Amino acid sequence: MSNDKGFSDEQKQFLSGFAFGTDVARAVSRLPVLSNSGGSGDNGTSITVGGKAEDTLPVGPEKIALIAQRETTKSGKKLCKEEQAKLEKNPLDMWDEMQARSDRGEFPKGTDVFLQKFHGLFYVAPAQDSFMCRMRLPGGLLHAWQLAGLADLSDRSAGGYLDVTTRANLQYREIPADQAMNILYGLRELDVVSLGSGGDNIRNCTASPLSGIDSQELIETIPFAKRMHHYILNSREMYGLPRKFNIAFDGGGTISALDDTNDIGFHAVRVNADRATEKFPEGVYFQLTLGGITGHKDFARPTGVLLRPDQCLSVAGAIVRVFVRHGDRTDRKKARLKYVLDDWGFDKFIAAVEEQLGMELPRFDDSLVEQSNVEDRLAHIGFHRQAQPGKQYVGVVLPVGRITSDQARGLAAIANDYGNGEIRLTVWQNLLIPFIDDADVERVQERLLELGLDYRASRFRAGLVACTGSGGCKFAAAETKTHAMQIADHLQSQFDLESPINIHLTGCHHSCAQHYIGDLGLLGCKVEKGDDMVDGYHVHVGGGWGQRQGIARLLFESVAFDEVPDLLAGIIRGYLDNRDQGESFIEFATRKTDDELKSLVAVTA
């Protein structure tokens, strides 16, 4: 029956309230708003209350980032261009757009270049007119079938090789525009994801690469890195950061995870029976450290917080949420966690984390815990015994972290034929193959050499780290990978060291190769030579990590590369001729003044 009179005012009011309630419910569930009764936002996840756009309330878990952006602008400050780009377009909602662009064979333009990094795709022009793709491999662990599949995918859609990074991770390079989505789909088919591996996100979670096979470790850490990885992927708040973020778990074993260079470091320690309390029974715990960013000359610093292993994930999540709320969104150079800590102090920051958690974090005097000091700087190279009887692992030397697809398939075959099918990447840009029977060691050695790889390394090659360099990165001022190999060849032809001297080459101030923690750290620059500008380096000395923690200091500025190998040889010769008995390079460099080191080089040149 029709009603010509329409709805009464009471009925209209009821229907309006019902529609508004439906909009709120759908917005909370991230569904499109149907009636537009509340003034929905573009993505259907916000409702305007009171009819004013500035009163729009984000309702999803990611609202803490949106609120932080709003509070920044309300305070009279201007969002940096990257924050403005994230505000205008959610980077996680670009799948169809990226597919259409890939179908057209086009690269992104404008702020889409930045936003697409959230999916792991970096357009690296002008260094290369192609994409780089970074993956997420929690704890650096992958399986032989995955490595072989990654090699095949590289042959089809990338450059036919793989790069191992300083976060125990893998990268593709030379990806054509029309292959971008083939890469993203292909990775997922191999149970590998790249989501959040670039942009303002939490990067690959690292762990001790010998987790579970190191007889001297205090606790396995790869399981924690994997849990952290899945926690991040399934928590939308973890994508709203003001800047990139790093998390590492170190189990106190023989290969360092470099946890003190991360925004959050979890370092395993032991509380012995004589120091145990009711609150802290005897056992293994994690010390919480915060604010590591060696590119800005700072290590993660102790908080005095001691955590049970089962507390780490929730505490990390709370730390990230506090950072999302209070990190700087106006200046990219000051947007890392370190600067919140510098501004607030640790006590205020930890109090905010406790408020987020709804509980007090447990404190324990760091001097009362037992620290592990068993790190072996050569444990990532060559054959070593595992905790499991009759088993060994091999650390394979990868020239500055790069392997061809054929080599990757060969390594996968070795892991299948002689190991348990595992491949473990390290922060030293190489990989390990574990669970090799003692009886098979000689055959594995032969197979590695047949691939053009090696299990042996000089003390220079063992500690050699290099970023991508100008051949693949628009920021780099020098061809670091090529130069690293030339330096290693030059030095190993002159010296035979008992322990490694780490040489880190990074192409720019972003310090992807962490030049400040190298015994010798080289930062790329351009140097005027005659009428030309040539590749060169600023030379730093005396960096270290862990028990030998130190930020390398600048010794020589703007040295043309063709002079660098001899300069480094002079420094090392001066060290060998003038060191005290048993003195390490960092101890020697710390003991000597800059002028003394320079004079030694002048004398030995």
Side-chain angles (χ1 to χ4, degrees):
M1 181 180 297
S2 64
N3 185 348
D4 296 335
K5 294 182 179 180
F7 294 110
S8 68
D9 290 341
E10 185 177 351
Q11 289 171 323
K12 290 178 181 178
Q13 185 176 3
F14 171 80
L15 290 172
S16 177
F18 178 82
F20 181 76
T22 302
D23 283 349
V24 171
R26 292 182 67 82
V28 169
S29 302
R30 294 180 62 81
L31 295 171
V33 173
L34 297 178
S35 69
N36 200 29
S37 62
S40 64
D42 291 341
N43 60 4
T45 60
S46 61
I47 298 295
T48 299
V49 178
K52 296 181 180 179
E54 61 267 26
D55 293 328
T56 299
L57 300 176
V59 294
E62 66 272 37
K63 66 184 178 182
I64 57 175
L66 299 174
I67 291 171
Q69 290 171 328
R70 176 194 295 174
E71 290 178 348
T72 298
T73 57
K74 279 190 172 182
S75 69
K77 299 177 182 177
K78 183 179 179 181
L79 295 174
C80 66
K81 64 178 182 180
E82 290 83 1
E83 287 297 319
Q84 189 63 39
K86 290 185 292 184
L87 183 61
E88 294 171 358
K89 181 192 296 185
N90 188 330
L92 305 185
D93 296 334
M94 295 177 65
W95 195 264
D96 288 345
E97 181 181 339
M98 292 190 301
Q99 181 69 67
R101 195 156 41 226
S102 183
D103 290 343
R104 295 193 301 267
E106 296 176 357
F107 290 109
K109 297 178 181 178
T111 56
D112 282 347
V113 174
F114 165 69
L115 296 175
Q116 198 154 318
K117 293 178 183 179
F118 282 64
H119 296 265
L121 284 172
F122 294 66
Y123 181 39
V124 294
Q128 294 174 339
D129 192 30
S130 61
F131 283 116
M132 178 270 281
C133 182
R134 185 181 295 141
M135 305 171 203
R136 297 185 75 97
L137 300 171
L141 176 67
L142 71 162
H143 300 281
W145 65 270
Q146 291 175 305
L147 183 59
L150 291 171
D152 293 344
L153 182 58
S154 183
D155 283 343
R156 293 195 303 271
S157 299
Y161 58 87
L162 293 157
D163 281 347
V164 181
T165 78
T166 54
R167 289 205 66 77
N169 203 1
L170 290 174
Q171 291 181 170
Y172 284 136
R173 288 194 169 270
E174 299 183 46
I175 302 167
D178 64 354
Q179 295 299 306
M181 296 306 291
N182 289 343
I183 289 288
L184 296 185
Y185 277 113
L187 290 176
R188 283 160 173 76
E189 290 163 5
L190 293 167
D191 288 344
V192 176
V193 297
S194 60
L195 188 66
S197 62
D200 297 341
N201 295 293
I202 304 171
R203 303 299 173 83
N204 195 47
C205 296
T206 55
S208 302
L210 296 181
S211 171
I213 64 175
D214 187 346
S215 61
Q216 300 193 69
E217 71 180 353
L218 298 178
I219 190 171
E220 292 187 48
T221 52
I222 287 179
F224 295 107
K226 292 170 72 174
R227 286 294 178 93
M228 191 79 246
H229 165 83
H230 290 292
Y231 181 91
I232 293 164
L233 291 179
N234 290 284
S235 303
R236 291 204 302 277
E237 311 99 295
M238 300 292 108
Y239 298 95
L241 282 66
R243 204 69 164 85
K244 69 177 182 179
F245 201 92
N246 294 321
I247 301 174
F249 297 84
D250 192 295
T254 53
I255 301 180
S256 173
L258 295 182
D259 54 292
D260 53 359
T261 68
N262 287 252
D263 295 280
I264 299 177
F266 294 107
H267 194 93
V269 294
R270 181 181 294 280
V271 173
N272 290 324
D274 60 335
R275 302 288 176 86
T277 65
E278 183 177 351
K279 188 176 181 180
F280 290 97
E282 179 183 6
V284 174
Y285 297 83
F286 282 104
Q287 285 181 317
L288 173 66
T289 60
L290 294 175
I293 173 172
T294 56
H296 294 220
K297 301 184 180 182
D298 214 348
F299 287 98
R301 290 162 276 171
T303 61
V305 173
L306 194 64
L307 300 171
R308 298 190 314 269
D310 65 295
Q311 294 175 307
C312 292
L313 264 64
S314 61
V315 170
I319 291 168
V320 172
R321 288 177 176 89
V322 172
F323 175 54
V324 170
R325 285 192 174 97
H326 300 288
D328 193 321
R329 295 180 183 271
T330 65
D331 183 353
R332 300 285 284 178
K333 295 178 181 178
K334 301 291 185 181
R336 294 291 297 272
L337 176 64
K338 162 188 161 56
Y339 295 101
V340 179
L341 296 169
D342 288 349
D343 184 34
W344 282 16
F346 273 53
D347 289 343
K348 179 179 177 179
F349 187 85
I350 292 297
V353 173
E354 290 174 328
E355 182 180 358
Q356 173 69 40
L357 281 169
M359 60 171 278
E360 183 178 341
L361 290 174
R363 269 73 161 187
F364 196 79
D365 188 341
D366 288 343
S367 67
L368 300 180
V369 299
E370 179 184 340
Q371 300 273 357
S372 176
N373 189 20
V374 298
E375 184 188 356
D376 178 356
R377 294 177 69 181
L378 291 173
H380 66 290
I381 296 295
F383 286 84
H384 303 267
R385 296 204 169 275
Q386 295 181 194
Q388 293 77 16
K391 299 292 185 181
Q392 298 187 39
Y393 73 88
V394 59
V396 182
V397 181
L398 307 180
V400 288
R402 179 162 291 178
I403 51 174
T404 67
S405 296
D406 286 341
Q407 288 173 327
R409 282 184 285 267
L411 290 166
I414 292 172
N416 271 332
D417 294 344
Y418 300 102
N420 69 340
E422 286 184 356
I423 306 284
R424 299 175 178 219
L425 307 176
T426 83
V427 296
W428 305 110
Q429 293 185 303
N430 77 318
L431 60 81
L432 317 176
I433 300 175
F435 291 97
I436 299 168
D437 288 336
D438 291 341
D440 291 329
V441 166
E442 186 174 342
R443 182 56 187 141
V444 172
Q445 291 174 344
E446 294 171 354
R447 291 275 294 268
L448 289 172
L449 295 175
E450 289 168 2
L451 289 174
L453 299 172
D454 210 333
Y455 53 91
R456 302 160 297 187
S458 72
R459 298 304 189 262
F460 296 106
R461 294 265 179 135
L464 192 64
V465 177
C467 71
T468 298
S470 55
C473 176
K474 66 181 179 181
F475 298 110
E479 184 46 76
T480 53
K481 284 191 180 294
T482 300
H483 293 163
M485 297 303 294
Q486 292 173 357
I487 288 170
D489 289 342
H490 183 76
L491 296 178
Q492 69 188 23
S493 70
Q494 299 185 49
F495 306 105
D496 185 15
L497 304 176
E498 309 92 34
S499 59
I501 289 181
N502 278 61
I503 303 176
H504 294 226
L505 293 86
T506 197
C508 74
H509 65 281
H510 291 117
S511 191
C512 293
Q514 298 182 304
H515 66 287
Y516 282 122
I517 67 168
D519 289 306
L520 295 165
L522 307 184
L523 173 60
C525 64
K526 290 298 182 184
V527 178
E528 187 174 356
K529 196 162 188 179
D531 295 330
D532 299 320
M533 297 298 292
V534 300
D535 286 7
Y537 293 91
H538 304 305
V539 180
H540 303 72
V541 298
W545 64 90
Q547 299 294 324
R548 303 176 307 281
Q549 193 178 94
I551 295 294
R553 62 190 195 269
L554 180 63
L555 191 64
F556 295 100
E557 289 189 80
S558 302
V559 181
F561 173 69
D562 61 6
E563 301 171 19
V564 168
D566 284 336
L567 176 66
L568 299 185
I571 294 173
I572 292 167
R573 190 175 295 110
Y575 158 64
L576 295 175
D577 292 344
N578 294 276
R579 62 181 170 171
D580 293 337
Q581 185 173 3
E583 189 174 37
S584 68
F585 183 86
I586 187 173
E587 291 169 337
F588 174 79
T590 301
R591 179 168 61 85
K592 294 290 187 180
T593 67
D594 290 356
D595 287 340
E596 287 173 331
L597 289 173
K598 289 178 180 179
S599 66
L600 288 174
V601 173
V603 169
T604 57

